[in-house]
Amino acid sequence: MGVGRRMKKQGPPSPLDECKITLLKKRKAAEVESNGRGKKRKASGEIVRPMMPTKVANSPRTSSLKPKTKGIATNGRSPHKQNGKKLVARVTSEKKQVLSEDSSDDDAADLLGGDIDNDSDASMVFKDGRIDDGDDLPDEFLESGSSVFDSDPDTGRAMFSEDEGDSDAEEKLTAANIEGLSKRLDAEQDDEAADAQLELEEAALRTNIDGDRPKVLEEADEDEEALTATTRLAPDLQLLRSRITDTIRVLEDFGKLSEEGRSRADYTSQLQKDISLYYGYSPYLAEKLLNLFPPREAFAFFEANESPRPLVLRTNTLRTHRRDLAQALINRGVTLEPVGKWSKVGLQVFESQVPLGATSEYLAGHYILQAASSFLPVMALAPQEDERILDMAAAPGGKTTYIAALMKNTGSIFANDSNKSRAKALIGNIHRLGAKNTIVCNHDARDFPKIIGGFDRVLLDAPCSGTGVIAKDPSVKTNKTEKDFMLLPHLQKQLLLAAIDSVDHASKTGGYIVYSTCSVTVEENEQVVQYALSRRPNVRLVETGLTFGVEGFVSYMGKKFHPKMRMTRRYYPHAYNVDGFFVSKFKKFAPSPAGGAAASGATKDADADGNDGVECVNLHDKGAGEDGEAVEKDIPFGGFDDGEDEAYIEQARRRRLRRKGIDPKAKKSRSRL
């Protein structure tokens, strides 16, 4: 073999291609310092590229290369390209070269494991001894079996920064482990929530120390004139609200936060005054409502009464279906959704671009605007087809038409209302919604056992104080007095006894009475039910069938009620975002005692319940007239007149025979023979 051509003069190396440099990884700084070798430049300007110490040894200019390991050729670079296995790639880092040292040398170091010089040019040593500086790398370079190359298929892709490689790895991780990443994010959110909760608890602990007790009560020795002058000024609402929250906090942890020498009654009295002043309630009503709940829940109740309830409409299933109605209203720009899983006909409206009381669907009787809480008594009543139903206080007709829809216009409904002017709205809604099985009447509901009886089911949505619908009628805050809460319960007791006496206990499908009010006070709800249970032993409380609601009170302020009072249901605006409501359901299993209707209006019943006898007599006289009491005493059980009924029965029999073509008189004469 002749002398190789390696020692011949060579010009400056050609610029390296960036796509080949990206194949190399970073080199560790320590290995660069330990293994790096500088280039030697001769006086003639020729650059001598040192070879790897493990592969090729440097020799003087006149000498030839000798292999140090088997299989490495010492001949120079051949002008013809030869395919061979590439063993090593080197990277140059001269300042005059195009590629910067920081972005390439470290990559080479990571890939080669520290065996490459930092300052050497990119060159390759082949088996036959050829040396290639990387200008004409063949395609087989990436497919080489050499252990110095990474097996990552993406190594041929250009990478100019560290961030690009990291983002690629993150993208692969996200695509391959999306479920794991999602769980990790959820865990991070849980940790953040736990940290926030811990901070709140720590803040609460800091405020609960003995030295940070809120001072909400007024000093006992303050000048009365100063207090009077303060009350004449407009109240500071922000200060009142802050004091209300502080008082509630003290009552919840009275042992640690209360002031020395102060009782719980002092704080409760202060809370009552502040709520009365802040929300505009009369002191009497504020105290009555405050006694129904714990302090914090009472605060939520008062807050809920300041905002209106959602607008709800009921689908009239006699004319359309809820899905079709919802689609028609959505096309008109109405935003709505089902009111809840507990109702199949309710739609809650969030936003409307048209007046809902003037749409063509409304005028056609496809729906009626009705509060969601008004669905509950009818759902508890559960009327069946072909039954006789009595609605004792029917106006304006929402419940009556709902009953007609559930009965599919079968059977008969007696819709009564004692107010003739309200009966006009009742008639209008019945016609618009297409209820054809309804009879409208105008009577005092307490007279119904005498007028007509024998109903399968009776619905009594009794007149009440309206403490559950304060959001609709804010005047309730101030116009209800102690006298109202004595007169109204007495009227409700009379109506409930009349409703019980009007039901046929022998009904095959019915015998049920539903009593409901739009009030949350105990005097109008549990006490009235307890009174009916004590006066009518032939009825008992049963489950309402409603899937949600708060159980009724079994005891209240020292008063004990029937254990089955838990079957009744209460609804609060702050708990269910509906109007305050009370629903109870009775089952009549035996006839009422003789003269039971008279007992429903007796004054002694009210006296036994603790009401003022004089006021009860005045109310009774107002409802029944001067001879009302005498008339009620003559009413037999159920309000039936057997003699009058016999005449009607005989007339009906004769008409039936005539329709069959039979002479009633002739048949009667034959029977006598």
Side-chain angles (χ1 to χ4, degrees), residues 216-230:
V216 296
L217 298 179
E218 300 173 350
E219 295 294 338
D221 56 350
E222 285 190 16
D223 189 8
E224 295 182 359
E225 295 181 359
L227 292 176
T228 305
T230 304

Side-chain angles (χ1 to χ4, degrees), residues 574-645:
H574 66 281
Y576 304 105
N577 200 21
V578 298
D579 293 329
F581 231 78
F582 175 83
V583 180
S584 61
K585 187 175 183 179
F586 299 86
K587 169 65 176 177
K588 186 175 180 180
F589 56 86
S592 297
S600 65
T603 305
K604 60 181 180 181
D605 293 344
D607 294 339
D609 196 59
N611 292 334
D612 189 356
V614 177
E615 291 183 344
C616 293
V617 171
N618 292 339
L619 178 65
H620 174 72
D621 293 342
K622 179 179 179 181
E626 296 180 357
D627 56 345
E629 183 175 359
V631 171
E632 289 190 0
K633 287 182 179 179
D634 296 334
I635 298 175
F637 157 68
F640 293 106
D641 188 345
D642 294 336
E644 185 178 1
D645 292 345

Side-chain angles (χ1 to χ4, degrees), residues 231-262:
T231 54
R232 292 176 181 174
L233 299 176
D236 188 350
L237 298 181
Q238 185 176 0
L239 178 62
L240 277 176
R241 188 177 183 87
S242 176
R243 189 162 63 186
I244 289 173
T245 55
D246 290 340
T247 306
I248 292 173
R249 188 161 58 90
V250 171
L251 290 173
E252 289 179 341
D253 194 1
F254 187 78
K256 295 182 179 180
L257 301 180
S258 61
E259 300 179 21
E260 296 181 1
R262 297 288 190 173

Side-chain angles (χ1 to χ4, degrees), residues 73 217 226 233 239 255 271 281 335 350 399 469 560 607 644 661:
L217 298 179
L233 299 176
L239 178 62
L271 180 62
Y281 287 82
T335 305
F350 297 98
K399 300 180 185 66
V469 291
K560 300 293 183 181
D607 294 339
E644 185 178 1

Side-chain angles (χ1 to χ4, degrees), residues 20 32 90 132 136 222 274 287 399 437 525 531 537 540 610 623 649:
K20 300 176 182 179
V32 171
R90 299 184 196 150
D132 193 355
D136 52 353
E222 285 190 16
D274 292 341
E287 180 183 5
K399 300 180 185 66
N437 61 342
N525 298 324
Y531 175 83
R540 63 173 179 266
I649 293 172

